[in-house]
PDB file of all heavy atoms in Angstrom:
ATOM      1  N   VAL H  48     -12.544  -6.064  -6.569  1.00  0.00           N
ATOM      2  CA  VAL H  48     -11.665  -6.908  -5.698  1.00  0.00           C
ATOM      3  C   VAL H  48     -12.606  -7.709  -4.773  1.00  0.00           C
ATOM      4  O   VAL H  48     -13.149  -7.266  -3.886  1.00  0.00           O
ATOM      5  CB  VAL H  48     -10.789  -5.984  -4.777  1.00  0.00           C
ATOM      6  CG1 VAL H  48      -9.830  -6.888  -3.962  1.00  0.00           C
ATOM      7  CG2 VAL H  48      -9.986  -5.015  -5.657  1.00  0.00           C
ATOM      8  N   ARG H  53      -6.378 -12.225  -2.330  1.00  0.00           N
ATOM      9  CA  ARG H  53      -5.099 -11.934  -1.584  1.00  0.00           C
ATOM     10  C   ARG H  53      -4.757 -10.492  -2.008  1.00  0.00           C
ATOM     11  O   ARG H  53      -4.355 -10.294  -3.128  1.00  0.00           O
ATOM     12  CB  ARG H  53      -4.087 -12.901  -1.946  1.00  0.00           C
ATOM     13  CG  ARG H  53      -4.412 -14.363  -1.560  1.00  0.00           C
ATOM     14  CD  ARG H  53      -3.565 -15.385  -2.258  1.00  0.00           C
ATOM     15  NE  ARG H  53      -3.689 -15.184  -3.654  1.00  0.00           N
ATOM     16  CZ  ARG H  53      -2.878 -15.688  -4.608  1.00  0.00           C
ATOM     17  NH1 ARG H  53      -1.878 -16.421  -4.282  1.00  0.00           N
ATOM     18  NH2 ARG H  53      -3.161 -15.500  -5.929  1.00  0.00           N
ATOM     19  N   VAL H  54      -4.821  -9.567  -1.069  1.00  0.00           N
ATOM     20  CA  VAL H  54      -4.605  -8.254  -1.392  1.00  0.00           C
ATOM     21  C   VAL H  54      -3.265  -7.756  -0.795  1.00  0.00           C
ATOM     22  O   VAL H  54      -2.909  -8.027   0.298  1.00  0.00           O
ATOM     23  CB  VAL H  54      -5.722  -7.293  -0.719  1.00  0.00           C
ATOM     24  CG1 VAL H  54      -5.501  -5.845  -0.912  1.00  0.00           C
ATOM     25  CG2 VAL H  54      -7.051  -7.699  -1.329  1.00  0.00           C
ATOM     26  N   LEU H  55      -2.515  -7.048  -1.640  1.00  0.00           N
ATOM     27  CA  LEU H  55      -1.303  -6.352  -1.167  1.00  0.00           C
ATOM     28  C   LEU H  55      -1.565  -4.837  -1.102  1.00  0.00           C
ATOM     29  O   LEU H  55      -2.029  -4.215  -2.138  1.00  0.00           O
ATOM     30  CB  LEU H  55      -0.145  -6.623  -2.235  1.00  0.00           C
ATOM     31  CG  LEU H  55       1.118  -5.834  -1.916  1.00  0.00           C
ATOM     32  CD1 LEU H  55       1.800  -6.269  -0.638  1.00  0.00           C
ATOM     33  CD2 LEU H  55       2.130  -6.043  -3.123  1.00  0.00           C
ATOM     34  N   MET H  56      -1.402  -4.282   0.060  1.00  0.00           N
ATOM     35  CA  MET H  56      -1.608  -2.875   0.307  1.00  0.00           C
ATOM     36  C   MET H  56      -0.180  -2.211   0.385  1.00  0.00           C
ATOM     37  O   MET H  56       0.501  -2.485   1.457  1.00  0.00           O
ATOM     38  CB  MET H  56      -2.324  -2.703   1.624  1.00  0.00           C
ATOM     39  CG  MET H  56      -2.683  -1.221   1.953  1.00  0.00           C
ATOM     40  SD  MET H  56      -4.066  -0.557   0.875  1.00  0.00           S
ATOM     41  CE  MET H  56      -5.379  -1.499   1.428  1.00  0.00           C
ATOM     42  N   VAL H  57       0.229  -1.488  -0.593  1.00  0.00           N
ATOM     43  CA  VAL H  57       1.542  -0.837  -0.521  1.00  0.00           C
ATOM     44  C   VAL H  57       1.432   0.449   0.074  1.00  0.00           C
ATOM     45  O   VAL H  57       0.520   1.169  -0.098  1.00  0.00           O
ATOM     46  CB  VAL H  57       2.151  -0.893  -2.048  1.00  0.00           C
ATOM     47  CG1 VAL H  57       2.329  -2.259  -2.562  1.00  0.00           C
ATOM     48  CG2 VAL H  57       1.384  -0.026  -2.940  1.00  0.00           C
ATOM     49  N   ILE H  79       2.405  -3.550   3.399  1.00  0.00           N
ATOM     50  CA  ILE H  79       3.817  -3.157   3.401  1.00  0.00           C
ATOM     51  C   ILE H  79       4.082  -1.644   3.419  1.00  0.00           C
ATOM     52  O   ILE H  79       3.249  -0.958   3.038  1.00  0.00           O
ATOM     53  CB  ILE H  79       4.620  -3.760   2.205  1.00  0.00           C
ATOM     54  CG1 ILE H  79       4.166  -3.199   0.913  1.00  0.00           C
ATOM     55  CG2 ILE H  79       4.425  -5.286   2.070  1.00  0.00           C
ATOM     56  CD1 ILE H  79       5.105  -3.528  -0.284  1.00  0.00           C
ATOM     57  N   VAL H 106       8.678  -0.870  -1.629  1.00  0.00           N
ATOM     58  CA  VAL H 106       7.874  -1.262  -2.904  1.00  0.00           C
ATOM     59  C   VAL H 106       8.706  -1.343  -4.154  1.00  0.00           C
ATOM     60  O   VAL H 106       8.303  -1.943  -5.115  1.00  0.00           O
ATOM     61  CB  VAL H 106       6.617  -0.350  -2.979  1.00  0.00           C
ATOM     62  CG1 VAL H 106       7.227   1.064  -3.529  1.00  0.00           C
ATOM     63  CG2 VAL H 106       5.623  -0.881  -3.920  1.00  0.00           C
ATOM     64  N   MET H 109      10.442  -5.927  -4.224  1.00  0.00           N
ATOM     65  CA  MET H 109       9.591  -6.805  -3.473  1.00  0.00           C
ATOM     66  C   MET H 109       9.991  -8.267  -3.913  1.00  0.00           C
ATOM     67  O   MET H 109       9.091  -9.098  -4.005  1.00  0.00           O
ATOM     68  CB  MET H 109       8.051  -6.525  -3.788  1.00  0.00           C
ATOM     69  CG  MET H 109       7.636  -5.159  -3.214  1.00  0.00           C
ATOM     70  SD  MET H 109       5.811  -4.908  -3.276  1.00  0.00           S
ATOM     71  CE  MET H 109       5.517  -4.927  -5.049  1.00  0.00           C
ATOM     72  N   PHE H 117      -0.391 -12.238  -5.262  1.00  0.00           N
ATOM     73  CA  PHE H 117      -1.485 -11.547  -4.832  1.00  0.00           C
ATOM     74  C   PHE H 117      -2.495 -11.462  -5.964  1.00  0.00           C
ATOM     75  O   PHE H 117      -2.066 -11.452  -7.136  1.00  0.00           O
ATOM     76  CB  PHE H 117      -1.147 -10.179  -4.287  1.00  0.00           C
ATOM     77  CG  PHE H 117      -0.271 -10.193  -3.158  1.00  0.00           C
ATOM     78  CD1 PHE H 117       1.215  -9.985  -3.372  1.00  0.00           C
ATOM     79  CD2 PHE H 117      -0.684 -10.391  -1.825  1.00  0.00           C
ATOM     80  CE1 PHE H 117       2.069 -10.102  -2.230  1.00  0.00           C
ATOM     81  CE2 PHE H 117       0.164 -10.469  -0.824  1.00  0.00           C
ATOM     82  CZ  PHE H 117       1.556 -10.328  -0.969  1.00  0.00           C
ATOM     83  N   ASP H 118      -3.779 -11.364  -5.599  1.00  0.00           N
ATOM     84  CA  ASP H 118      -4.786 -11.164  -6.603  1.00  0.00           C
ATOM     85  C   ASP H 118      -5.015  -9.711  -6.930  1.00  0.00           C
ATOM     86  O   ASP H 118      -5.592  -9.334  -7.905  1.00  0.00           O
ATOM     87  CB  ASP H 118      -6.196 -11.812  -6.101  1.00  0.00           C
ATOM     88  CG  ASP H 118      -5.872 -13.228  -5.831  1.00  0.00           C
ATOM     89  OD1 ASP H 118      -5.412 -14.011  -6.658  1.00  0.00           O
ATOM     90  OD2 ASP H 118      -6.398 -13.708  -4.718  1.00  0.00           O
ATOM     91  N   SER H 119      -4.706  -8.798  -6.020  1.00  0.00           N
ATOM     92  CA  SER H 119      -4.888  -7.394  -6.129  1.00  0.00           C
ATOM     93  C   SER H 119      -3.865  -6.571  -5.476  1.00  0.00           C
ATOM     94  O   SER H 119      -3.387  -7.037  -4.357  1.00  0.00           O
ATOM     95  CB  SER H 119      -6.323  -7.107  -5.635  1.00  0.00           C
ATOM     96  OG  SER H 119      -6.674  -5.785  -5.893  1.00  0.00           O
ATOM     97  N   VAL H 120      -3.455  -5.465  -5.996  1.00  0.00           N
ATOM     98  CA  VAL H 120      -2.545  -4.544  -5.370  1.00  0.00           C
ATOM     99  C   VAL H 120      -3.273  -3.233  -5.176  1.00  0.00           C
ATOM    100  O   VAL H 120      -3.811  -2.627  -6.199  1.00  0.00           O
ATOM    101  CB  VAL H 120      -1.254  -4.370  -6.215  1.00  0.00           C
ATOM    102  CG1 VAL H 120      -0.386  -3.314  -5.464  1.00  0.00           C
ATOM    103  CG2 VAL H 120      -0.606  -5.676  -6.393  1.00  0.00           C
ATOM    104  N   MET H 121      -3.179  -2.665  -3.991  1.00  0.00           N
ATOM    105  CA  MET H 121      -3.814  -1.320  -3.732  1.00  0.00           C
ATOM    106  C   MET H 121      -2.727  -0.336  -3.343  1.00  0.00           C
ATOM    107  O   MET H 121      -1.836  -0.675  -2.647  1.00  0.00           O
ATOM    108  CB  MET H 121      -4.762  -1.486  -2.562  1.00  0.00           C
ATOM    109  CG  MET H 121      -5.760  -2.558  -2.610  1.00  0.00           C
ATOM    110  SD  MET H 121      -7.223  -2.253  -3.634  1.00  0.00           S
ATOM    111  CE  MET H 121      -7.980  -0.907  -2.689  1.00  0.00           C
ATOM    112  N   ASP H 122      -2.928   0.762  -3.914  1.00  0.00           N
ATOM    113  CA  ASP H 122      -1.973   2.032  -3.627  1.00  0.00           C
ATOM    114  C   ASP H 122      -2.784   3.201  -3.632  1.00  0.00           C
ATOM    115  O   ASP H 122      -3.489   3.521  -4.610  1.00  0.00           O
ATOM    116  CB  ASP H 122      -0.863   2.055  -4.615  1.00  0.00           C
ATOM    117  CG  ASP H 122      -0.085   3.358  -4.516  1.00  0.00           C
ATOM    118  OD1 ASP H 122       0.223   3.724  -3.400  1.00  0.00           O
ATOM    119  OD2 ASP H 122       0.227   3.990  -5.531  1.00  0.00           O
ATOM    120  N   LYS H 123      -2.719   3.997  -2.509  1.00  0.00           N
ATOM    121  CA  LYS H 123      -3.438   5.220  -2.470  1.00  0.00           C
ATOM    122  C   LYS H 123      -2.623   6.501  -2.543  1.00  0.00           C
ATOM    123  O   LYS H 123      -3.035   7.554  -2.732  1.00  0.00           O
ATOM    124  CB  LYS H 123      -4.270   5.301  -1.083  1.00  0.00           C
ATOM    125  CG  LYS H 123      -5.442   4.330  -1.104  1.00  0.00           C
ATOM    126  CD  LYS H 123      -6.181   4.413   0.200  1.00  0.00           C
ATOM    127  CE  LYS H 123      -6.740   5.842   0.358  1.00  0.00           C
ATOM    128  NZ  LYS H 123      -6.914   6.355   1.747  1.00  0.00           N
ATOM    129  N   MET H 142       8.750   0.684  -8.821  1.00  0.00           N
ATOM    130  CA  MET H 142       7.496   0.326  -8.082  1.00  0.00           C
ATOM    131  C   MET H 142       6.519  -0.281  -9.025  1.00  0.00           C
ATOM    132  O   MET H 142       5.953  -1.375  -8.775  1.00  0.00           O
ATOM    133  CB  MET H 142       6.887   1.649  -7.518  1.00  0.00           C
ATOM    134  CG  MET H 142       5.426   1.245  -6.857  1.00  0.00           C
ATOM    135  SD  MET H 142       4.613   2.849  -6.448  1.00  0.00           S
ATOM    136  CE  MET H 142       2.944   2.104  -6.182  1.00  0.00           C
ATOM    137  N   GLU H 145       7.636  -3.841 -10.052  1.00  0.00           N
ATOM    138  CA  GLU H 145       7.475  -4.720  -8.905  1.00  0.00           C
ATOM    139  C   GLU H 145       6.048  -5.122  -8.628  1.00  0.00           C
ATOM    140  O   GLU H 145       5.765  -6.358  -8.472  1.00  0.00           O
ATOM    141  CB  GLU H 145       8.056  -4.183  -7.551  1.00  0.00           C
ATOM    142  CG  GLU H 145       9.603  -4.132  -7.681  1.00  0.00           C
ATOM    143  CD  GLU H 145      10.230  -5.515  -7.601  1.00  0.00           C
ATOM    144  OE1 GLU H 145       9.928  -6.312  -6.755  1.00  0.00           O
ATOM    145  OE2 GLU H 145      11.157  -5.745  -8.439  1.00  0.00           O
ATOM    146  N   THR H 146       5.149  -4.109  -8.602  1.00  0.00           N
ATOM    147  CA  THR H 146       3.785  -4.468  -8.293  1.00  0.00           C
ATOM    148  C   THR H 146       3.109  -5.345  -9.460  1.00  0.00           C
ATOM    149  O   THR H 146       2.303  -6.114  -9.265  1.00  0.00           O
ATOM    150  CB  THR H 146       2.965  -3.197  -8.038  1.00  0.00           C
ATOM    151  OG1 THR H 146       3.050  -2.323  -9.148  1.00  0.00           O
ATOM    152  CG2 THR H 146       3.353  -2.568  -6.773  1.00  0.00           C
ATOM    153  N   SER H 147       3.641  -5.050 -10.680  1.00  0.00           N
ATOM    154  CA  SER H 147       2.928  -5.889 -11.799  1.00  0.00           C
ATOM    155  C   SER H 147       3.296  -7.292 -11.779  1.00  0.00           C
ATOM    156  O   SER H 147       2.522  -8.136 -12.256  1.00  0.00           O
ATOM    157  CB  SER H 147       3.306  -5.175 -13.113  1.00  0.00           C
ATOM    158  OG  SER H 147       4.733  -5.336 -13.475  1.00  0.00           O
ATOM    159  N   GLN H 148       4.470  -7.586 -11.115  1.00  0.00           N
ATOM    160  CA  GLN H 148       4.950  -8.932 -11.034  1.00  0.00           C
ATOM    161  C   GLN H 148       4.235  -9.733  -9.950  1.00  0.00           C
ATOM    162  O   GLN H 148       4.195 -10.893  -9.886  1.00  0.00           O
ATOM    163  CB  GLN H 148       6.415  -9.073 -10.857  1.00  0.00           C
ATOM    164  CG  GLN H 148       7.086  -8.660 -12.099  1.00  0.00           C
ATOM    165  CD  GLN H 148       8.736  -8.712 -11.872  1.00  0.00           C
ATOM    166  OE1 GLN H 148       9.221  -8.858 -10.732  1.00  0.00           O
ATOM    167  NE2 GLN H 148       9.393  -8.509 -12.984  1.00  0.00           N
ATOM    168  N   THR H 149       3.731  -8.973  -8.911  1.00  0.00           N
ATOM    169  CA  THR H 149       3.287  -9.692  -7.657  1.00  0.00           C
ATOM    170  C   THR H 149       1.800 -10.004  -7.745  1.00  0.00           C
ATOM    171  O   THR H 149       1.362 -10.864  -6.974  1.00  0.00           O
ATOM    172  CB  THR H 149       3.473  -8.761  -6.420  1.00  0.00           C
ATOM    173  OG1 THR H 149       2.676  -7.562  -6.586  1.00  0.00           O
ATOM    174  CG2 THR H 149       4.884  -8.436  -6.187  1.00  0.00           C
ATOM    175  N   TRP H 150       1.095  -9.509  -8.664  1.00  0.00           N
ATOM    176  CA  TRP H 150      -0.340  -9.825  -8.787  1.00  0.00           C
ATOM    177  C   TRP H 150      -0.756 -10.607  -9.943  1.00  0.00           C
ATOM    178  O   TRP H 150      -0.146 -10.563 -11.050  1.00  0.00           O
ATOM    179  CB  TRP H 150      -1.243  -8.590  -8.568  1.00  0.00           C
ATOM    180  CG  TRP H 150      -1.155  -7.617  -9.760  1.00  0.00           C
ATOM    181  CD1 TRP H 150      -0.068  -6.755 -10.039  1.00  0.00           C
ATOM    182  CD2 TRP H 150      -2.071  -7.497 -10.761  1.00  0.00           C
ATOM    183  NE1 TRP H 150      -0.475  -6.063 -11.170  1.00  0.00           N
ATOM    184  CE2 TRP H 150      -1.704  -6.478 -11.680  1.00  0.00           C
ATOM    185  CE3 TRP H 150      -3.342  -8.124 -10.997  1.00  0.00           C
ATOM    186  CZ2 TRP H 150      -2.422  -6.114 -12.729  1.00  0.00           C
ATOM    187  CZ3 TRP H 150      -4.109  -7.647 -12.134  1.00  0.00           C
ATOM    188  CH2 TRP H 150      -3.594  -6.604 -12.991  1.00  0.00           C
ATOM    189  N   ARG H 151      -1.809 -11.316  -9.775  1.00  0.00           N
ATOM    190  CA  ARG H 151      -2.441 -12.176 -10.834  1.00  0.00           C
ATOM    191  C   ARG H 151      -3.683 -11.521 -11.281  1.00  0.00           C
ATOM    192  O   ARG H 151      -4.554 -11.187 -10.428  1.00  0.00           O
ATOM    193  CB  ARG H 151      -2.683 -13.581 -10.259  1.00  0.00           C
ATOM    194  CG  ARG H 151      -3.195 -14.614 -11.181  1.00  0.00           C
ATOM    195  CD  ARG H 151      -3.306 -15.913 -10.580  1.00  0.00           C
ATOM    196  NE  ARG H 151      -4.170 -15.949  -9.416  1.00  0.00           N
ATOM    197  CZ  ARG H 151      -5.405 -16.261  -9.417  1.00  0.00           C
ATOM    198  NH1 ARG H 151      -6.000 -16.423 -10.595  1.00  0.00           N
ATOM    199  NH2 ARG H 151      -6.189 -16.320  -8.398  1.00  0.00           N
TER     200      ARG H 151
END
Side-chain angles (χ1 to χ4, degrees):
V48 183
R53 296 166 299 167
V54 176
L55 174 63
M56 183 73 67
V57 300
I79 66 168
V106 72
M109 297 191 297
F117 301 96
D118 301 314
S119 185
V120 177
M121 309 280 294
D122 169 40
K123 288 184 61 210
M142 174 192 164
E145 288 292 310
T146 56
S147 69
Q148 290 178 354
T149 62
W150 68 283
R151 179 173 65 89

